[in-house]
């Protein structure tokens, strides 16, 4: 992120096929960045590539399943070689399957853990190592406001996001000693395929708006940001509610 | 990525740079833990047709261990001490052992490495490959002078042992051969008897270069260590003013509490300055002064405080505090800029005794004229050694730290080329651990042609495919 204006930003976006990840790829390529877009789904990636073909930046796409953590080091090497270096990693991969109020499905929960957290760690660790040695670079992790409290709705999703917040904070503190940065983004409701079935959403913003605000926060080296920022107030209030009341609330 | 029977070391993708930070690039870094993994890394690089840059702790200022096209072989995890004889002081260790690891092991028994650098973090393999020198070069020679024997892993995977009798050519070529012939895996070296963990240090303030050189000559016979700090800013009759530190090891019985002072714990450098300022953050303060005006001020203040020191008596100082001045403020080099490719280069010239004084004065004058003044100047006295590509000679060296940033990079390079011309004309030499600027035509002028030819022949024999290649070799010795 601390690139001089002359050189294009070199970015890797993990989880780029839809939602915030795809919007970030479009946003970055519109700004002239060189972006490697990674996702599982080939068709979505190809349409993203076609869509950004005329943009000032360059987008190359790679099929990758974040559960395949063993493939990360070699793929990262390939990406950095292709891009000629790395300034920005965005981890936007995440899933939020609907979970019934009485559902305790270990398989489903662990799958969430693997994608939302395992993949994040597998990508951020080697990149953190690189950014430490090159003394610049920014990691952006797309977490969620869902990590603020343990709510009844989807225990594991909130857990993965809370864990991600904790992990990214620790990484930020480590990298800070070397001039590199980690930015935690906590979106509220964003209109994406992930939230398509979520009832009763409010303050909804588009993925494009979210992408603009995320990049603004990353550029300003913000440590942690709610998108939009008013969700920060919600999280603040949520955290203040004592447990004996919180456990009686139904949201 | 399993390779059948070949042991594969840990690998990371990192930004690899010289200590001065002014050059570097991202590369795959392999970190073998044992000779088998080291051989595995060499074999897989050969199989994949990529080059390998041997790297110790990366303490060479320039591009001696960086790699813009290939892999980096980082030896720092091969750092075991294999044996140490407290009676004779002979230390046998894997090449990735750092100088810090070495002295911390030997000091309690009353032994200290013969040759140490200004920082304690280089590995002994790197020290041998660059044939480093210390503040006692005039007395004990270079690092290689105290190496008894080594194992070198060749590009074929063969481990070859060399010492002064066996494979003597290889012994004298690989020490100071900047990793070009193979990778050190084991080194046997002598250490020096010390009777205390403290040293007697005396400061002598000098008005100009001639006086400083006269102090060196007068102290040479009795001193164990001599180092001169030079303020490169003032010109005229104050050119080369500075402060000489004369270090002397204590003799038997001079330190009544030697068992305390020999304890490595008492050698450790304090974490805070004045008890409150954390040294780890001090580079931020130094950054405020990291420009010509600021450094002129810092150098002037240091000179004046040196004059006070020169009036005082000799004092006692721990070995670590005396030798490892570069470690005193952690990451002080970040004051030169923390972004990649910004930082400093060190430009160290070696001049024969006869031409040294006049050439050094001319050199300092040209720095001032071209507005590339060194922020730190260090004078040392040297003696020749038998290694093929050695930088050492009977004479003097002056090390100059130049700030590098995008605006000054090209004019600084030009400036250094001019200085190089001056030094070569005066019969001078250069040292690859410090170098960032030499061109192939410069190297051929100061390296003896017979030794260079013999070295090239050895390289062709031991590494016909050019497996071991670093950015330094690409720059100075292109195929």
């Amino acid at each position: 992120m601390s690139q001089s204006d002359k050189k294009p930003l070199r970015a890797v976006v993990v989880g780029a096929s839809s939602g915030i990840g795809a919007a970030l790829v479009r946003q970055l390529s519109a700004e002239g960045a060189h972006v490697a877009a990674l996702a599982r789904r080939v068709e979505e990636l190809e349409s993203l590539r076609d869509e950004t073909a005329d943009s000032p930046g360059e987008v190359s796409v790679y099929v990758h399943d974040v559960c395949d953590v063993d493939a990360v080091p070699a793929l990262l090497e390939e990406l950095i070689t292709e891009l000629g270096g790395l300034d920005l990693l965005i981890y936007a991969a995440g899933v939020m399957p609907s979970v019934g109020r009485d559902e305790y499905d270990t398989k489903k929960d662990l799958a969430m853990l693997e994608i939302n957290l395992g993949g994040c760690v597998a990508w951020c660790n080697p990149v953190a190592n690189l950014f430490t040695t090159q003394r610049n670079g920014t990691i952006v992790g797309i977490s969620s406001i869902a990590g603020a409290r343990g709510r009844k709705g989807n225990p594991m999703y909130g857990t993965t996001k809370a864990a991600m917040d904790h992990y990214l904070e620790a990484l930020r503190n480590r990298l800070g000693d070397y001039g590199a940065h980690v930015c935690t983004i906590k979106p509220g409701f964003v209109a994406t395929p992930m939230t398509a079935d979520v009832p009763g959403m409010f303050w909804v913003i588009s993925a494009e708006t979210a992408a603009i605000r995320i990049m603004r926060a990353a550029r300003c080296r913000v440590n942690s940001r709610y998108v939009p920022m008013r969700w920060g107030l919600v999280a603040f209030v949520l955290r203040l509610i004592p447990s004996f009341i919180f456990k009686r609330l139904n949201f | 990525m399993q390779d059948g029977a070949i042991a594969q070391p840990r690998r990371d993708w990192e930004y690899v740079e010289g200590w001065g930070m002014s050059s570097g690039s991202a590369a795959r870094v392999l970190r073998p833990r044992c000779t088998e993994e080291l051989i595995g890394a060499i074999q897989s690089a050969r199989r994949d047709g990529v080059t390998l840059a041997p790297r110790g702790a990366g303490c060479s200022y320039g591009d001696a261990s960086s790699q813009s096209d290939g892999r980096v072989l980082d030896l720092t995890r091969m750092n075991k001490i294999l044996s140490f004889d407290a009676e004779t002081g002979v230390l046998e260790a894997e090449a990735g052992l750092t100088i810090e690891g070495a002295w911390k092991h030997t000091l309690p028994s009353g032994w200290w490495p013969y040759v140490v650098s200004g920082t304690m973090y280089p590995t002994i393999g790197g020290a041998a490959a660059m044939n480093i020198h210390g503040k006692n070069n005039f007395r004990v020679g270079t690092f290689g002078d105290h190496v008894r024997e080594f194992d070198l892993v060749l590009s074929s995977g063969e481990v070859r042992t060399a010492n002064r009798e066996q494979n003597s050519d290889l012994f004298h070529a690989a020490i100071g051969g900047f990793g070009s012939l193979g990778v050190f895996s084991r080194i046997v070296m002598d250490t020096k008897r010390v009777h205390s963990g403290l040293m007697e240090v005396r400061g002598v303030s000098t008005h100009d270069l001639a006086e400083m050189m006269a102090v060196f000559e007068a102290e040479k016979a009795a001193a164990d260590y001599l180092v001169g700090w030079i303020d490169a800013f003032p010109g005229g009759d104050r050119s080369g003013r500075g402060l000489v530190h004369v270090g002397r090891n204590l003799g038997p019985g001079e330190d009544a509490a030697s068992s305390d002072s020999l304890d490595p714990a008492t050698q450790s450098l304090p974490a805070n300055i004045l008890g409150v300022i954390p040294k780890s953050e001090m580079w931020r303060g130094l950054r405020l002064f990291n420009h010509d005006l600021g450094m002129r001020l810092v150098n002037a203040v240091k000179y004046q405080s040196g004059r006070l020191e020169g009036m005082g008596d000799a004092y006692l100082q721990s070995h670590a505090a005396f030798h490892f001045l570069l470690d005193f403020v952690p990451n002080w080099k970040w004051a030169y800029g923390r972004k990649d490719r910004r930082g400093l280069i060190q430009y160290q010239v070696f001049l024969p005794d006869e031409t040294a004084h006049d050439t050094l004065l001319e050199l300092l004058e040209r720095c001032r004229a071209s507005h590339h003044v060194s922020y730190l100047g260090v004078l040392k006295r040297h003696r020749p050694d038998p290694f093929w590509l050695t930088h050492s000679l009977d004479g003097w060296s002056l090390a100059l730290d130049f700030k590098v940033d995008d605006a000054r990079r090209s004019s600084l390079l030009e400036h250094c080329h001019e200085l190089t011309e001056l030094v070569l004309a005066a019969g001078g030499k250069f040292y690859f651990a410090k170098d960032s600027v030499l061109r192939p035509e410069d190297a051929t002028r100061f390296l003896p042609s017979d030794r260079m030819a013999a070295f090239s022949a050895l390289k062709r024999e031991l590494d016909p495919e050019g497996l071991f290649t670093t950015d330094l070799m690409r720059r100075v010795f292109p195929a």
Side-chain angles (χ1 to χ4, degrees):
Chain A
M1 295 295 292
S2 45
Q3 280 288 293
S4 65
D5 295 335
K6 286 164 271 173
K7 284 191 275 179
L9 186 79
R10 299 157 300 186
V12 170
V13 180
V14 184
S17 54
S18 66
I20 297 176
L24 279 164
V25 172
R26 285 192 289 266
Q27 171 72 22
L28 284 165
S29 73
E31 291 171 8
H34 291 185
V35 191
L38 278 63
R40 232 171 350 135
R41 291 170 291 179
V42 189
E43 298 80 34
E44 276 84 348
L45 277 180
E46 279 170 355
S47 69
L48 183 68
R49 185 178 53 198
D50 298 343
E51 211 181 311
T52 51
D54 299 331
S55 69
E58 282 174 23
V59 176
S60 43
V61 298
Y62 298 82
V63 177
H64 168 69
D65 182 349
V66 294
C67 297
D68 187 6
V69 293
D70 292 336
V72 174
L75 180 55
L76 181 64
E77 272 186 39
E78 188 187 333
L79 298 178
I80 296 171
T81 313
E82 285 294 313
L83 294 170
L86 186 64
D87 307 302
L88 173 67
L89 168 75
I90 299 179
Y91 190 83
V95 291
M96 187 179 67
S98 64
V99 173
R101 186 48 68 92
D102 300 319
E103 187 179 354
Y104 297 96
D105 185 336
T106 305
K107 225 174 179 177
K108 198 188 240 182
D109 282 355
L110 290 183
M112 233 184 299
L113 189 69
E114 210 177 343
I115 295 166
N116 296 3
L117 188 64
C120 174
V121 173
W123 276 96
C124 291
N125 274 347
V127 170
N129 192 34
L130 171 70
F131 285 175
T132 302
T133 52
Q134 71 182 19
R135 291 183 308 280
N136 67 49
T138 301
I139 294 175
V140 175
I142 310 295
S143 176
S144 166
I145 189 167
R149 288 298 288 264
R151 291 177 298 115
K152 291 173 180 168
N154 192 335
M156 200 60 205
Y157 184 75
T159 303
T160 60
K161 293 304 181 182
M164 207 171 151
D165 291 350
H166 192 107
Y167 167 75
L168 291 172
E169 183 186 14
L171 221 54
R172 168 162 56 246
N173 297 341
R174 278 189 173 197
L175 265 59
D177 287 345
Y178 298 92
H181 184 61
V182 178
C183 175
T184 312
I185 299 293
K186 301 174 185 177
F189 291 126
V190 180
T192 65
M194 186 199 264
T195 56
D197 302 328
V198 176
M201 294 204 299
F202 54 97
W203 293 351
V204 181
I205 59 168
S206 69
E208 281 66 34
T209 311
I212 290 169
R213 296 190 183 182
I214 289 166
M215 283 316 298
R216 196 181 297 156
R219 285 218 166 77
C220 297
R221 293 172 79 91
V222 169
N223 293 329
S224 175
R225 167 137 313 160
Y226 292 91
V227 175
M229 280 165 73
R230 69 186 100 152
W231 285 100
L233 194 65
V234 176
F236 179 71
V237 174
L238 274 179
R239 288 215 171 87
L240 285 181
I241 302 173
S243 280
F244 68 90
I245 297 176
F246 199 78
K247 71 181 186 185
R248 287 178 171 77
L249 299 179
N250 273 323
F251 66 89
Chain B
M1 292 296 289
Q2 279 306 311
D3 221 356
I6 301 171
Q8 284 298 310
R10 192 180 99 189
R11 70 177 219 204
D12 299 290
W13 186 265
E14 290 178 9
Y15 183 77
V16 179
E17 63 187 354
W19 193 86
M21 308 178 293
S22 60
S23 63
S25 52
R28 183 192 287 185
V29 183
L30 303 164
R31 292 192 163 84
R33 280 169 307 185
C34 55
T35 310
E36 289 69 39
E37 286 190 355
L38 173 57
I39 294 169
I42 288 171
Q43 289 176 340
S44 64
R46 276 186 71 179
R47 188 199 54 205
D48 298 345
V50 295
T51 62
L52 273 178
R55 182 173 168 96
C59 290
S60 284
Y61 278 73
D63 49 7
S65 64
S66 60
Q67 176 66 297
S68 54
D69 182 19
R71 297 174 193 164
V72 174
L73 192 55
D74 178 319
L75 271 284
T76 49
R77 273 154 56 109
M78 281 180 62
N79 58 0
K80 285 190 278 299
I81 290 170
L82 303 170
S83 72
F84 175 63
D85 185 336
E87 296 302 313
T88 58
V90 176
L91 176 72
E92 179 188 16
E94 289 180 335
L97 178 74
T98 59
I99 288 175
E100 178 187 23
W103 73 258
K104 285 191 171 167
H105 190 81
T106 61
L107 188 65
S109 327
W111 299 92
W112 182 263
Y114 268 100
V115 175
V116 299
S117 39
T119 155
M120 63 173 105
Y121 303 120
T123 62
I124 57 171
M130 306 314 288
N131 196 20
I132 67 165
H133 62 261
K135 302 174 179 74
N136 54 353
N137 196 184
F138 66 96
R139 179 162 287 269
V140 305
T142 48
F143 190 87
D145 279 319
H146 307 281
V147 173
R148 287 192 167 206
E149 181 175 286
F150 60 72
D151 283 350
L152 193 73
V153 184
L154 307 177
S155 68
S156 60
E158 180 199 342
V159 182
R160 196 170 287 183
T161 303
N163 53 42
R164 285 180 177 77
E165 286 78 43
Q166 179 191 353
N167 293 320
S168 154
D169 277 1
L170 182 62
F171 184 83
H172 290 96
I175 290 176
F178 38 86
S180 170
L181 302 176
V183 183
F184 291 111
S185 59
R186 182 186 68 101
I187 287 179
V188 184
M189 59 191 250
D190 286 316
T191 57
K192 180 176 78 163
R193 177 54 102 183
V194 289
H195 302 281
S196 166
L198 298 172
M199 289 176 50
E200 185 191 82
V201 183
R202 191 159 40 87
V204 184
S205 181
T206 54
H207 293 100
D208 59 21
L209 186 65
E211 189 186 354
M212 181 175 285
M213 292 171 89
V215 170
F216 266 73
E217 291 300 335
E219 301 282 354
K220 218 171 82 174
D224 288 309
Y225 298 91
L226 280 172
V227 61
W229 164 80
I230 284 181
D231 176 0
F233 282 95
D237 57 1
R238 294 176 302 154
S239 183
R241 69 176 185 180
L243 176 70
V244 181
H245 275 126
V246 184
R248 186 179 68 82
N249 283 130
L250 299 183
E254 279 191 81
D255 178 9
S258 64
S259 59
D260 277 351
S261 65
L262 288 173
D263 180 356
T266 62
Q267 297 274 324
S268 60
L269 308 169
N272 297 312
I273 285 183
L274 307 173
V276 283
I277 306 168
K279 285 204 305 191
S280 57
E281 298 300 319
M282 262 193 67
W283 65 271
R284 294 177 198 278
L286 293 176
R287 185 148 79 175
L288 302 176
F289 293 92
N290 199 265
H291 42 77
D292 284 355
L293 192 64
M295 291 314 288
R296 181 184 282 272
L297 181 73
V298 168
N299 275 274
V301 168
K302 181 165 168 56
Y303 175 67
Q304 296 304 338
S305 68
R307 288 182 63 186
L308 285 179
E309 189 182 329
M311 288 177 221
D313 295 332
Y315 52 93
L316 295 177
Q317 194 173 27
S318 72
H319 290 288
F322 177 77
H323 289 294
F324 307 126
L325 198 62
L326 296 183
D327 304 330
F328 187 71
V329 175
N331 295 320
W332 62 267
K333 62 179 180 175
W334 288 355
Y336 281 87
R338 197 157 64 151
K339 299 279 180 280
D340 52 336
R341 290 172 53 74
R342 261 170 264 182
L344 70 157
I345 60 167
Q346 188 169 87
Y347 181 77
Q348 186 174 14
V349 303
F350 292 74
L351 287 156
D353 194 24
E354 311 81 60
T355 59
H357 176 262
D358 294 349
T359 313
L360 290 179
L361 274 189
E362 169 73 17
L363 204 131
L364 287 169
E365 180 52 41
R366 288 216 194 166
C367 289
R368 284 188 291 274
S370 67
H371 303 289
H372 285 289
V373 181
S374 158
Y375 290 174
L376 175 72
V378 175
L379 186 77
K380 289 193 282 271
R381 187 74 171 87
H382 300 270
R383 75 169 199 200
D385 64 47
F387 299 100
W388 285 10
L389 303 187
T390 188
H391 57 277
S392 212
L393 42 59
D394 179 17
W396 303 78
S397 80
L398 178 66
L400 301 168
D401 284 5
F402 292 118
K403 179 176 181 168
V404 180
D405 54 30
D406 290 339
R408 315 212 295 181
R409 193 180 297 269
S410 62
S411 69
L412 176 61
L413 196 64
E414 209 168 291
H415 169 64
C416 290
H417 289 328
E418 277 175 30
L419 299 185
T420 302
E421 189 52 47
L422 189 73
V423 171
L424 291 173
K429 300 174 92 174
F430 292 91
Y431 173 31
F432 295 113
K434 303 288 179 71
D435 173 52
S436 298
V437 300
L438 287 183
R439 297 160 299 187
E441 61 267 33
D442 302 327
T444 51
R445 281 177 68 188
F446 74 86
L447 292 170
S449 55
D450 54 334
R451 285 194 163 167
M452 200 53 229
F455 188 86
S456 304
L458 203 54
K459 169 82 176 167
R460 279 194 300 276
E461 178 198 331
L462 301 179
D463 183 14
E465 294 159 2
L467 178 73
F468 298 116
T469 301
T470 62
D471 287 349
L472 171 83
M473 296 179 212
R474 288 192 184 94
R475 174 167 58 84
V476 188
F477 304 101

